[in-house]
Amino acid sequence: MIKMFGVLLSVVLVCIITGHVSCRNLTASPNYVHSGTQLTLTCDVGESIVNGTATFRSSSGSLGSITYDDMNNCYVNSSSTPCSSTCSCEENNNRMIWKYTQSSTPSSDQTFFCDFIGDSDLFTTSTTVKRAVLQLPTISPSTSSYTVTIGRQLSPIQCTETCWPSCNVQWIGPNIFPGHGDNLTLSNIQKIHSGQYRCRVTNLLGKQTSQIITVTVQYGPDTMALDPAYSVIERREGSSIGPINCSADCEPVCNFGWIYPDGQAEDGNVLPRHNLQKTNTGQYKCKASNKIGTDQKIVTVTVTCKYSM
């Protein structure tokens, strides 16, 4: 057995020792069978092909034969018809070549044979070629959604593909995520990593895409803002402030509350309209919190006398 590109190709080698080693073998190119793809079968006979006939066949039947005479003529199917596009002879390399196009993709790997009859010997050599395949990739673990805290790491998720010829494996995700290879690994996770991820495998048969994985990144209140965007307010007695809307970007959703200068607290993200008195001077704090963290925005209010000299 010869290992090539991670796939075992069964090749029968017939070697003759006559002062040197001469090997007879059958090779196939490309190394897969698929509907409409031309397969080149090369039978290396290990000795002169003059006056020899090579018959090519598969496990399902005969493909044809090539005869090479002592006048350097290469004929197809043991007749007087010269080889053209389907076959050829290489006397200097002791090779006879058959080109074969599969009419449909087989359900299993295909074994091809070369039966050679020469002036002094006969032998059979063979090679097995894998069928082209592209299956839907699977994900392990099979979990479809993950929740991760910002700054943490997502455990590796593996994409398993069954394809031949070998596939190009790519992870597709949010924000032009450049993920290549079998494993999806996200470290030091940030908000931009939230979204849907898929594993895509591609070979000559096309593309297949895995199930969708949803990653939710949890984070505390961020980009807090007030509307109107006050930080300092100066008003006279009897005038008013509010309403002021407080907002923040949070995952999961934040709870909001306002704390007044006298320590009184009120739930909600909106500071209601207030008629101001001198005792209302001080800081008004909007607090936003979830299970990840807490943040606040402060408005400093100064209330002056209603009538000033």
Side-chain angles (χ1 to χ4, degrees):
M1 304 288 280
I2 296 176
K3 189 171 185 180
M4 182 177 296
F5 303 109
V7 175
L8 294 176
L9 300 180
S10 177
V11 180
V12 178
L13 299 178
V14 183
C15 296
I16 307 172
I17 301 177
T18 56
H20 65 283
V21 178
S22 175
C23 289
R24 301 160 172 174
N25 66 84
L26 178 64
T27 58
S29 178
N31 55 354
Y32 59 86
V33 281
H34 176 57
S35 173
T37 299
Q38 187 179 75
L39 196 66
T40 299
L41 300 171
T42 301
C43 187
D44 188 341
V45 306
E47 59 186 44
S48 174
I49 62 174
V50 175
N51 294 325
T53 297
T55 300
F56 294 85
R57 57 188 171 90
S58 69
S59 49
S60 58
S62 176
L63 304 179
S65 63
I66 305 172
T67 299
Y68 191 75
D69 65 18
D70 55 8
M71 300 298 293
N72 300 327
N73 296 313
C74 186
Y75 295 111
V76 60
N77 293 329
S78 302
S79 68
S80 59
T81 304
C83 275
S84 57
S85 59
T86 59
C87 57
S88 62
C89 302
E90 296 180 359
E91 182 181 357
N92 292 337
N93 294 318
N94 301 324
R95 295 173 179 170
M96 302 175 111
I97 300 168
W98 188 270
K99 294 183 179 180
Y100 165 69
T101 300
Q102 189 91 19
S103 60
S104 61
T105 301
S107 59
S108 61
D109 299 345
Q110 296 286 286
T111 300
F112 296 91
F113 301 87
C114 173
D115 304 317
F116 181 76
I117 300 176
D119 280 339
S120 59
D121 200 4
L122 59 88
F123 66 87
T124 295
T125 183
S126 66
T127 185
T128 298
V129 186
K130 291 186 67 67
R131 72 185 182 99
V133 63
L134 177 63
Q135 295 183 1
L136 193 72
T138 59
I139 300 298
S140 179
S142 58
T143 307
S144 60
S145 62
Y146 294 84
T147 300
V148 189
T149 302
I150 192 169
R152 302 281 181 85
Q153 177 173 314
L154 179 69
S155 298
I157 301 171
Q158 185 176 27
C159 176
T160 301
E161 69 279 2
T162 301
C163 49
W164 184 255
S166 58
C167 283
N168 174 54
V169 182
Q170 181 183 23
W171 281 93
I172 302 168
N175 300 296
I176 317 178
F177 173 74
H180 294 273
D182 292 345
N183 291 331
L184 170 64
T185 302
L186 299 176
S187 58
N188 189 25
I189 283 183
Q190 301 300 311
K191 290 193 294 181
I192 62 171
H193 294 132
S194 285
Q196 295 183 332
Y197 294 81
R198 293 166 293 165
C199 169
R200 176 177 292 170
V201 295
T202 308
N203 71 2
L204 65 96
L205 297 184
K207 297 178 181 179
Q208 290 278 17
T209 304
S210 72
Q211 69 181 71
I212 292 175
I213 296 171
T214 300
V215 175
T216 301
V217 180
Q218 293 190 328
Y219 50 91
D222 192 14
T223 59
M224 286 193 70
L226 298 178
D227 184 20
Y230 294 126
S231 59
V232 176
I233 300 174
E234 185 173 332
R235 295 283 191 274
R236 288 184 177 182
E237 278 186 298
S239 62
S240 65
I241 62 169
I244 300 175
N245 184 71
C246 180
S247 63
D249 180 21
C250 314
E251 178 59 48
V253 174
C254 277
N255 295 314
F256 291 87
W258 283 90
I259 301 175
Y260 300 140
D262 61 3
Q264 179 185 349
E266 184 170 336
D267 291 336
N269 67 315
V270 178
L271 177 69
R273 185 181 182 88
H274 279 67
N275 292 319
L276 297 172
Q277 303 297 321
K278 281 286 290 181
T279 55
N280 297 134
T281 293
Q283 291 185 332
Y284 291 73
K285 301 175 182 177
C286 172
K287 286 196 171 183
S289 62
N290 63 10
K291 67 179 183 180
I292 308 300
T294 300
D295 199 1
Q296 66 179 16
K297 273 286 188 180
I298 298 175
V299 179
T300 301
V301 177
T302 302
V303 182
T304 61
C305 294
K306 188 172 185 179
Y307 301 103
S308 60
M309 299 300 292

